Each structure stands twice: as structure tokens, then as C-alpha cells.
Amino acid sequence: MSTNAGSTSAVRVRGLRRTYGQGASAFEAVRGVDLDVRAGSITALLGTNGAGKTSTLEVLEGLAPATAGEVRVLGLDPVEGRAAIRPRVGVLLQRSGFSGDLTVRETLRLWSETLTRPRPVDEMLALLDLEHRAGVHMTALSGGETRRVDLACTLMGSPELVILDEPTTGLDPESRRAVWRLVSGLRDEGATVLLTTHYLEEAETLADRLEILHAGQIVRSGTPAEIAQGHPSTIEFARVDGVPEQLAGARRILHDHGRTTVETDALQRSLTDLLDWAARHDVALDGLEARSPSLESVFLSIADGGDPVEPVAAEGAVR
């Protein structure tokens, strides 16, 4: 893999729009997206269903033209320069189209013939822990095993840019963490990774930067810590009535679904006040949990419409 960390953007997008249909029935799935993916980094593209992730990826992969805007992948237009870009990019789609009549080894051998400089099949079998399944037909694999075959094909050409669309779907927790280690290793070797995922823990663990799409626009952009900044911490416990509203730092106290939730800008102070109050009144706080602001809280707030969704400016996206 080439080491690109010293350069700027492996992917640069300005004003991307993608519209389906024409006239009164036209639907704009992507509405002015600006995106930078720093070379040698991992960027996670997140969004609710219908946010525009797939439409954006299809443009980046050269599968569809942009309706408007400027798109550069490894410095080239992904449609006009697709022949030049293709050997340098590995793409993992949500679903593969491999023949079920082939074994795992035969599938990897067939794929290797499409590549300019493929890594050895045995190396890829070992990398994805598929050696013991090499002689098994694709139709006999579990969903997680099939996903690992997909990943082996994606990485076989040692791509500079790796685009992973839901890479750990169908994997058990152990396999998912093995893939996390693999993806982190790609960055360490100098590759650039752009991934989509519905697993927010995955995004927080892997990504250097997060881009959150909502209704066709990027509405949050930054590191996990930057995105969580400004959102409250939470203290939760089995519902208790009579919790004082004046807890230090508390924004509000909610009682819902048998739980009491305290939203606070000063987690330690609020928790101290709460525990003091509970001790004085001999109140048990069953199931007590205290959490700092998280990506999940931000994401759910955006999805529920409780968070402002004004698109962020593109300038400075690569710092």
C-alpha cells in the first residue's frame, strides 16, 4: 500500500448533489455535500436511513455521475477517470455477487485474476481467518464468513483507498473486533479508509473523523470528541419521583419508561448532589448509570429532530 499520509485529501467533494427523476417527481437525495477524507486516515460516514449515504458512495465509486458539484477521488474524476482509479481502490459493497458454485479458494483465485498485483490467495485466507473454510462452497458459508470473503477480495489488491459499506454486518462480536484490528492496520500501513456503519461504537473506535449525514446534508463533522462537545452527560436510574430540580449543572430531569434521566453539563457535580440527596432521604438509585456525552446521544438527537441540523462549512474540514 502506498503511504499517503503526507498528502492532503484522498477524497475531496464540493457541493455534491444527486437527484433522482425529473420535474415535479424529482427527488434530491444528496443536497450540497462537502466532504474531505484525509489521506492515511479513517473517516466514518454516518446517517439515518435515507440520509444519502449510499447515493454519495455510488458517486465516489464511479457507479453514478453527480447531478452537480465537484468530486475528486485520488485526484481524479471518479467517472471519467474510473479506469485509472479502479486498480487503486478497494470497495466493499453491502452485498456481493459471487457464484455459490465456487469454493472460497476458487472465489479468491478468480478475483485475483482481475487485479494487477494481487496478494497471494493463501495470504488473504490467513488474514481473514478463512483457511479452514477454503474448500467450502460459498453457499455453505455463514453470513459472517461470506462477509470475510468479501473483505479478502476488497483488500487483495493492496488498495490505496478502501471504501467499506457496512463492513461488519452479520459478524459476531469476536469477528467484528478482528475486522476492527484489520481496518486499523490498513491505516497504519498508509491506506485511506472511508466506511459507513450502523454500529456507533465501531465508528467511535475506528474513525479519526466522523461525518454525519441527515436529509442529504452533512450536519456534523469532526472527531468523536468534537461532535459530542456541547451535548449533555446523562445520569440514569430506576424511576424515582421527587429528585430535586436544582441539581448542580442539570439541564433537565426526565421520567420515562420507568427510568429517571438527568441531563447535565457538569456530570461530577450533578452526580455528587444526587447521591447526597439520595443518602439524606434514604432513596435507593437502582440501576444507576452515569455517562459522558456520546456519539449515540448526538446521533439520536439528530435523528429525532432535537438537534439543529444546519450543514457544517466545508472549509477547514481537513485540519
Side-chain angles (χ1 to χ4, degrees):
M1 296 179 186
S2 300
T3 302
N4 295 325
S7 58
T8 54
S9 297
V11 175
R12 178 180 169 86
V13 175
R14 290 293 179 270
L16 173 62
R17 293 182 177 273
R18 188 167 177 207
T19 303
Y20 296 87
Q22 296 179 341
S25 62
F27 171 70
E28 193 172 35
V30 182
R31 303 186 296 130
V33 161
D34 297 326
L35 174 66
D36 283 284
V37 178
R38 183 192 292 273
S41 71
I42 299 175
T43 297
L45 185 63
L46 307 177
T48 54
N49 290 333
K53 299 189 304 297
T54 298
S55 295
T56 299
L57 288 185
E58 287 177 348
V59 172
L60 298 182
E61 293 161 9
L63 300 177
T67 303
E70 179 186 3
V71 180
R72 290 294 180 268
V73 175
L74 300 177
L76 301 171
D77 181 284
V79 175
E80 296 178 358
R82 192 176 184 195
I85 293 172
R86 188 172 177 271
R88 303 167 62 190
V89 177
V91 177
L92 176 71
L93 302 175
Q94 288 191 27
R95 295 180 180 84
S96 65
F98 295 124
S99 170
D101 296 330
L102 300 178
T103 66
V104 171
R105 184 181 295 277
E106 289 169 342
T107 298
L108 295 185
R109 281 178 176 168
L110 180 64
W111 187 254
S112 71
E113 294 175 2
T114 70
L115 303 173
T116 305
R117 291 182 297 276
R119 297 165 71 174
V121 169
D122 286 342
E123 178 183 331
M124 302 311 298
L125 289 170
L127 184 65
L128 275 301
D129 192 24
L130 289 166
E131 294 165 300
H132 64 298
R133 304 294 277 169
V136 176
H137 285 83
M138 293 292 293
T139 51
L141 298 180
S142 68
E145 289 169 338
T146 301
R147 202 63 178 150
R148 297 209 302 274
V149 175
D150 295 342
L151 273 167
C153 292
T154 299
L155 303 179
M156 185 177 281
S158 299
E160 297 172 45
L161 171 64
V162 182
I163 299 176
L164 304 175
D165 196 1
E166 304 289 344
T168 61
T169 297
L171 298 185
D172 59 69
E174 182 180 359
S175 297
R176 180 173 297 131
R177 291 187 180 276
V179 170
W180 291 1
R181 290 191 292 272
L182 178 62
V183 172
S184 294
L186 295 174
R187 173 183 52 198
D188 294 342
E189 295 174 17
T192 306
V193 180
L194 174 63
L195 66 90
T196 71
T197 180
H198 281 100
Y199 299 111
L200 299 182
E201 181 188 6
E202 183 165 283
E204 286 187 292
T205 300
L206 290 176
D208 302 301
R209 289 190 65 82
L210 306 173
E211 306 286 347
I212 301 180
L213 271 168
H214 180 77
Q217 296 177 300
I218 290 181
V219 296
R220 287 291 181 275
S221 179
T223 66
E226 289 170 344
I227 286 179
Q229 187 175 8
H231 281 256
S233 300
T234 57
I235 305 169
E236 291 190 20
F237 43 91
R239 178 165 181 158
V240 173
D241 294 321
V243 177
E245 297 288 340
Q246 292 76 32
L247 289 178
R251 289 189 183 185
R252 59 177 179 167
I253 298 174
L254 307 172
H255 303 281
D256 195 19
H257 302 297
R259 300 281 288 174
T260 294
T261 301
V262 178
E263 295 182 352
T264 175
D265 294 318
L267 179 58
Q268 184 173 339
R269 291 169 56 206
S270 294
L271 185 58
T272 299
D273 272 11
L274 176 65
L275 293 174
D276 286 346
W277 171 83
R280 291 196 308 272
H281 294 81
D282 195 25
V283 173
L285 302 176
D286 295 330
L288 178 65
E289 297 178 353
R291 300 188 186 90
S292 298
S294 67
L295 177 59
E296 180 180 12
S297 65
V298 177
F299 189 84
L300 291 177
S301 181
I302 291 172
D304 292 341
D307 196 52
V309 289
E310 296 179 5
V312 296
E315 292 307 318
V318 174
R319 296 184 175 92

